Amino acid sequence: MQKIILLVHRYLGLTLGAILLVVAFSGTAIVFKKPIDKFLNPALLQTAAGAGRAPIDDIIRSAQASVAGKRASQVLLPQSAGDVIEVQFQGSDLRAYADPYTGNLLGVRDVKASLMGILADLHVHLLSGKTGERIMGWTGMGLLLLSAMGAYLWWPKNGRWDQAWAVKWGAAPLRVWMDFHKLVGSLAFVLIALTATTGAALALYDIVTEPVLAALTGEGTRKPAPKSRLHDGGAAAIAPMMAHAATLFPNGKITRIALPGKTDGAVGIRMRLEGEIQSSGRSFLWFDQYDGALLRLDDALQANQAAKIQNWLFPLHTGAYGGLPTQFLQVLVGLSLFLLSFSGVCLWWKRRRARASAKARLRNPA
């Protein structure tokens, strides 16, 4: 059985090796995506903190006017002093950025043309859209299987834990590589398995995660947004909706605004309530886009069990659940996965060369 598991571990690792190297490199790079992006693009993503905020409706109109033919779909609000407002557009990678204090438009860019945007797209979609996302999801499942087999192969059958953790640095190169591979894998096993599981769950959400959560808990996480009542009046202002949300949850923080994409769509005010694990929150207040009436309130803290599990997936995958310490830990996870993938390929190559040399010696004895 051990030989079979070893062969499967080896060749599954080789099959997934190239993708795992990409996953590890890009994932490590984007753990601190936002501060790195701000550092690389200060004129677009940073501003001086001011005393008051410019009217949000004016900023949305200005951003909308800057991108012809595209409809504003979501507004990301600043979460700390010096942050800017980001406006996203339906069916587009274009982003408009505005100073929240003066209301001035700072610029527009294609987010996937930026370094951090490319790395994020590489990590999530392999630069290949939904198909790439599916590949990444199944790769995550494969990594989970690899981790489990690696842990089984490493586990000391004779109870010699001192040998299990040792690296014989003075031994032959092949043995050193093997010991190093085992040591890194054993130390990072739990976090790599957690990262693989949550990554696969996020990438395969519609076809795997949602059905599994529904089967386990008896409830799904999908809840369609309410609809606005159609009438001939113009769109209601967003600012009063935000004020209403802040009144209902004075300790909450408004993080995003979802703008309606259809004539019967609703405006969604997204908040992070005290006690939520998601950095941008998962609580929504839905308003009629025409008269501003509150249509529904979705409190993440009162959500069903399936939704509560869902809310943990992204923070666990990115290391955001514990702030800077766990984010740095996630960087180490990415580096560990890179080292494991690289050392695994090196082990296979060295074995291959050693066997080729042995066969050559047999054919041509001295």
Side-chain angles (χ1 to χ4, degrees), residues 228-357:
S228 296
R229 294 175 287 273
L230 295 175
H231 57 73
D232 297 330
I238 302 292
M241 302 180 198
M242 295 175 64
H244 191 170
T247 300
L248 291 175
F249 295 103
N251 294 324
K253 193 168 190 177
I254 300 173
T255 60
R256 300 186 182 193
I257 305 168
L259 301 174
K262 297 180 180 179
T263 54
D264 63 350
V267 176
I269 304 296
R270 183 168 174 173
M271 300 187 75
R272 183 186 186 186
L273 306 183
E274 197 171 351
E276 285 195 61
I277 189 64
Q278 278 264 14
S279 60
S280 55
R282 292 290 297 177
S283 296
F284 290 86
L285 292 90
W286 298 98
F287 293 88
D288 189 297
Q289 66 167 300
Y290 300 106
D291 61 16
L294 179 63
L295 300 175
R296 195 177 77 210
L297 191 159
D298 297 332
D299 185 340
L301 300 177
Q302 304 299 322
N304 62 38
Q305 198 60 38
K308 287 180 178 178
I309 294 171
Q310 178 204 31
N311 292 343
W312 272 91
L313 294 177
F314 185 76
L316 286 174
H317 186 70
T318 60
Y321 57 92
L324 282 176
T326 50
Q327 286 180 295
F328 278 114
L329 191 61
Q330 201 63 25
V331 169
L332 293 179
V333 171
L335 292 174
S336 298
L337 180 57
F338 188 90
L339 290 172
L340 284 169
S341 303
F342 182 76
S343 60
V345 172
C346 286
L347 280 169
W348 170 79
W349 180 250
K350 287 180 179 296
R351 280 198 187 91
R352 193 167 180 267
R353 288 187 61 185
R355 287 174 182 171
S357 298

Side-chain angles (χ1 to χ4, degrees), residues 4 10 13 41 64 97 138 146 192 202-203 219 280 303 332 341 349:
I4 294 173
R10 180 180 300 162
N41 302 279
Q64 180 67 78
Y97 301 92
W138 292 115
L146 268 177
I192 286 178
L202 290 166
E219 298 178 282
S280 55
L332 293 179
S341 303
W349 180 250

Side-chain angles (χ1 to χ4, degrees), residues 3-67:
K3 288 184 178 180
I4 294 173
I5 293 176
L6 177 60
L7 285 173
V8 174
H9 180 78
R10 180 180 300 162
Y11 290 104
L12 179 60
L14 287 172
T15 303
L16 301 178
I19 299 179
L20 291 178
L21 285 169
V22 170
V23 168
F25 169 74
S26 58
T28 301
I30 65 173
V31 168
F32 294 105
K33 174 177 174 285
K34 186 176 178 180
I36 293 174
D37 203 17
K38 287 175 67 175
F39 175 78
L40 295 175
N41 302 279
L44 200 61
L45 302 179
Q46 296 184 48
T47 188
R53 295 290 181 92
I56 188 65
D57 292 280
D58 291 347
I59 291 174
I60 294 173
R61 279 191 289 270
S62 175
Q64 180 67 78
S66 70
V67 180

Side-chain angles (χ1 to χ4, degrees), residues 113-315:
S114 66
L115 174 61
M116 299 313 295
I118 291 171
L119 288 172
D121 190 37
L122 179 64
H123 185 76
V124 177
H125 302 110
L126 278 178
L127 307 180
S128 305
K130 201 66 179 177
T131 300
E133 186 177 16
R134 292 281 188 262
I135 292 172
M136 293 298 263
W138 292 115
T139 299
M141 299 286 275
L143 175 57
L144 182 60
L145 180 59
L146 268 177
S147 300
M149 290 188 294
Y152 173 83
L153 293 168
W154 165 81
W155 195 270
K157 307 301 185 291
N158 56 3
R160 295 296 303 273
W161 291 95
D162 55 333
Q163 293 181 358
W165 298 101
V167 177
K168 295 186 177 179
W169 298 106
L174 186 62
R175 176 58 188 269
V176 173
W177 272 110
M178 175 60 78
D179 287 348
F180 178 73
H181 185 83
K182 289 180 177 180
L183 179 63
V184 173
S186 62
L187 291 174
F189 164 68
V190 172
L191 289 175
I192 286 178
L194 179 64
T195 302
T197 302
T198 52
L202 290 166
L204 303 174
Y205 196 85
D206 291 335
I207 61 176
V208 175
T209 311
E210 175 72 8
V212 168
L213 288 176
L216 291 176
T217 67
E219 298 178 282
T221 63
R222 299 300 191 197
K223 195 174 183 180
K227 294 183 178 181
S228 296
R229 294 175 287 273
L230 295 175
H231 57 73
D232 297 330
I238 302 292
M241 302 180 198
M242 295 175 64
H244 191 170
T247 300
L248 291 175
F249 295 103
N251 294 324
K253 193 168 190 177
I254 300 173
T255 60
R256 300 186 182 193
I257 305 168
L259 301 174
K262 297 180 180 179
T263 54
D264 63 350
V267 176
I269 304 296
R270 183 168 174 173
M271 300 187 75
R272 183 186 186 186
L273 306 183
E274 197 171 351
E276 285 195 61
I277 189 64
Q278 278 264 14
S279 60
S280 55
R282 292 290 297 177
S283 296
F284 290 86
L285 292 90
W286 298 98
F287 293 88
D288 189 297
Q289 66 167 300
Y290 300 106
D291 61 16
L294 179 63
L295 300 175
R296 195 177 77 210
L297 191 159
D298 297 332
D299 185 340
L301 300 177
Q302 304 299 322
N304 62 38
Q305 198 60 38
K308 287 180 178 178
I309 294 171
Q310 178 204 31
N311 292 343
W312 272 91
L313 294 177
F314 185 76

Side-chain angles (χ1 to χ4, degrees), residues 56-97:
I56 188 65
D57 292 280
D58 291 347
I59 291 174
I60 294 173
R61 279 191 289 270
S62 175
Q64 180 67 78
S66 70
V67 180
K70 297 295 181 181
R71 186 169 186 162
S73 60
Q74 187 167 210
V75 182
L76 277 61
L77 300 173
Q79 299 305 299
S80 59
D83 285 352
V84 300
I85 288 177
E86 177 183 318
V87 180
Q88 302 178 355
F89 298 88
Q90 197 169 32
S92 173
D93 294 320
L94 293 176
R95 304 286 188 268
Y97 301 92

